[in-house]
Structure formats: C-alpha cells, structure tokens
Amino acid sequence: MADIKKIATRDSYGNALKELAQEGADNLVVLDADLSAATKTGIFKKEFPDRHINCGIAEANMVCVAAGLSTMGLVPFASSFAMFAAGRAFEQVRNTIGYPHLNVKIGATHAGISVGEDGASHQCCEDFALMRSIPGMVVICPADDVEAKQAVKAAYKYEGPVYLRFGRLAVPVFHSDDYKFEIGKGEVIKEGKDVTIIANGLMVAEAIEAGKALEAKGIDAEIINISTIKPLDEELVIKSAKKTGKVITVEEHNIIGGLGEAVCSCLSEKCPTPVKRIGVNDEFGHSGPAVDLLKQFGLSAENIEKVAEEFVKA
C-alpha cells in the first residue's frame, strides 16, 4: 500500500473539528491539556481561538470543565493523549461525565504501541477496557482519515458521552469519499468464506494486506472493520461467524478488555465460535520506532496472515 495516501487520524480529528465549526456547529468548543500541537486541536484553535480552551496539564480538571460546559448547551470535545484522557482522568470521566450521562466527547490521541519512542508510560493499551466499562459510553476507533472525520461529526450529532481514539502514526486511506459512517455499525470490507478477520483502527489496513496474501494461498478471508467497539455490531459479527465458522480479532490494545473480548462475549452467548485474538498480550510496551514495535508485538499483516493460515488449516 506504499502508493496509497497516508494520514494520521489525529490530523483527521483536528481537521474535522475545524470543518464542523465552519459548517455551522456554533455550540462546539474544544478543550486541550497543553497538547494542542500533538493532538492537532491547534488546527481548530488557529481559526477559532475564542472557542478553544487550554486547561493546562490538568486532565482531570479539563474533563470537569467539559462536563460543566455541556450543561450550558455547548458540545465540548476534551482532548489529550489516550493515557491521560482515559487513564489519568478516569474517575472524572466516570463520575462527572458518565454517571450523569452528559454530552461530552473525549478525543484521545497517541494511543497504543504505535506511539513508539514515547515508551510504555505513554503507550495506552488499556483505554478500550476502561471506557467500555463506563455505562452509556460510546467507544470508537476509526480506521483511516475518511472514517475518522465522519466519526467526529457523528459524535458531535450524538447526544451523550463518546470516546474517540486516534493514532499518531500515519495510516493508509482506503475509504472512498462516499463512505458513510454510522455509530454502532460495522463494515464488510471484503467478503469471504474460510475465516473472519475483525479489526479496528490502524489494524484494519494490516488486515486488508493479510487478506490479499491469504487469497494468494487459496484462503478466502472475510475482512470486517468494527470501528465502534461499543455498541458492538453484534448482528454483523454473528452473521460472519456463522458463515466462516472461525473468527480472528485484531486490535492495537491489550487482548484483555478490548475488541477481542467484546466479540468473544457476543459469540459465546449467541453463536459459540472458535476465536483467536491478536493484540498486545497482557504486557507493557517499550520505546522504539512505531513500525518496528508493531511487528514485534505481532500487530502486522504478516502475523495476521500466519495466524489465519494456521487457524484455517487446523
């Protein structure tokens, strides 16, 4: 996919916020914890400085400020790295946003192993688990620029709390401009009959590449993008599981508490199916180039291909 345009979804986040305001979202406000250059909310700030609030390095306070603004009819997007937005501010997200079910959106960037050189302290692979555990919280991890922009705009229109996860690493843009994102709906990228591969975030592009390699080996994989982890598109998951009889989940997150567990919970109760989970295997990351780390932790097309081939042959 070297000839395909690559864009980091954190850039998509900043651009979508600016576009929303330009399109007439007058009640949109953006908060940041002194990271506007990194989270790309600086794109919004440059054009709408009066609607951007830098709360400083105080994420818990930022979340509470966002909660207060939402009670005044505004739609705040509170932005920071995933480690801080989901981790450091968890209590405030739970009690101040989740419990009263306020209309606050959390834009979390720099998630997962692909944060790279920032190391384990910043490589948040627990945010899906944390945010999924909050009642009423929608959890979204878009796969590319097109989907990320649409997810931000869908979150703005949605009444209630939403957690959006964006990446630091530039990823291939594979969606066409006519793609339509809908909260709670998955997407069949490629139909197949031998095995289902369900992915989200930057792992979708890797799953697509793995699917091409498997096809060359005579294995017909169904590739599904489940960008909304909660609420999960259970209908699509079950339909595909019934068709192929084997499911692989792929996520840039701990295999505990994320997409894999959501899929397993659904299938174990409603359509018992063998499942293999590809993700971070309950361990911390470490500093290094993002692409090298992804391969080391098995988050690559090559490993997806290997696991799928062995699974089908077994």
Side-chain angles (χ1 to χ4, degrees):
M1 305 182 82
D3 57 335
I4 295 179
K5 179 171 62 175
K6 292 185 177 183
I7 300 173
T9 53
R10 61 171 172 152
D11 288 297
S12 315
Y13 177 50
N15 285 319
L17 291 172
K18 182 185 74 171
E19 290 173 12
L20 273 169
Q22 290 172 334
E23 292 164 3
D26 296 332
N27 59 352
L28 169 68
V29 290
V30 178
L31 292 77
D32 213 299
D34 208 31
L35 287 170
S36 60
T39 63
K40 299 301 180 180
T41 59
I43 297 171
F44 175 90
K45 178 183 178 181
K46 184 177 180 180
E47 191 158 340
F48 301 94
D50 294 340
R51 292 159 64 182
H52 179 277
I53 303 170
N54 182 2
C55 295
I57 306 173
E59 292 82 6
N61 180 62
M62 176 182 68
V63 165
C64 293
V65 172
L69 291 172
S70 73
T71 66
M72 304 300 292
L74 297 172
V75 182
F77 278 74
S79 319
S80 188
F81 289 4
M83 190 67 250
F84 309 137
R88 181 177 293 168
F90 176 78
E91 180 190 346
Q92 286 70 32
V93 173
R94 178 193 183 275
N95 289 339
T96 314
I97 294 175
Y99 182 38
H101 198 73
L102 296 181
N103 193 31
V104 176
K105 321 304 171 185
I106 301 168
T109 69
H110 292 68
I113 292 295
S114 59
V115 174
E117 288 83 357
D118 287 354
S121 63
H122 285 54
Q123 293 166 344
C124 186
C125 296
E126 305 84 21
D127 54 329
F128 293 166
L130 288 167
M131 294 297 104
R132 282 182 64 228
S133 70
I134 298 176
M137 179 69 74
V138 171
V139 182
I140 302 172
C141 181
D144 71 354
D145 173 67
V146 173
E147 185 171 55
K149 284 183 178 179
Q150 290 198 24
V152 172
K153 295 178 181 181
Y156 169 77
K157 294 177 182 177
Y158 176 83
E159 186 70 29
V162 180
Y163 179 83
L164 295 142
R165 186 209 238 206
F166 306 105
R168 176 186 188 184
L169 189 67
V171 294
V173 180
F174 58 87
H175 282 113
S176 59
D177 291 336
D178 61 356
Y179 169 70
K180 302 298 181 185
F181 171 84
E182 184 179 347
I183 291 175
K185 292 296 183 182
E187 167 197 17
V188 178
I189 294 175
K190 173 188 172 296
E191 294 195 1
K193 65 181 187 307
D194 296 325
V195 62
T196 298
I197 301 175
I198 299 175
N200 65 10
L202 58 78
M203 290 296 100
V204 178
E206 298 297 320
I208 292 172
E209 286 300 291
K212 293 176 182 177
L214 289 166
E215 188 173 8
K217 296 180 177 181
I219 297 174
D220 189 13
E222 180 146 297
I223 311 296
I224 295 179
N225 171 26
I226 297 281
S227 53
T228 308
I229 306 166
K230 182 185 177 185
L232 185 73
D233 190 344
E234 294 190 349
E235 182 179 351
L236 177 58
V237 170
I238 292 169
K239 180 181 178 181
S240 185
K242 286 181 176 179
K243 188 204 300 190
T244 67
K246 294 181 177 181
V247 174
I248 297 171
T249 62
V250 193
E251 59 191 316
E252 191 192 5
H253 184 274
N254 196 325
I255 57 171
I256 296 173
L259 173 66
E261 283 205 354
V263 169
C264 286
S265 295
C266 166
L267 293 178
S268 65
E269 291 182 353
K270 301 177 180 180
C271 181
T273 308
V275 178
K276 286 191 179 294
R277 294 172 295 161
I278 296 176
V280 178
N281 292 308
D282 195 24
E283 59 184 315
F284 290 106
H286 58 80
S287 181
V291 174
D292 293 342
L293 289 175
L294 290 169
K295 289 182 178 179
Q296 180 185 343
F297 283 83
L299 305 176
S300 65
E302 293 81 5
N303 189 52
I304 298 169
E305 176 193 348
K306 178 176 177 289
V307 172
E309 185 176 7
E310 292 174 353
F311 198 16
V312 169
K313 290 181 176 179

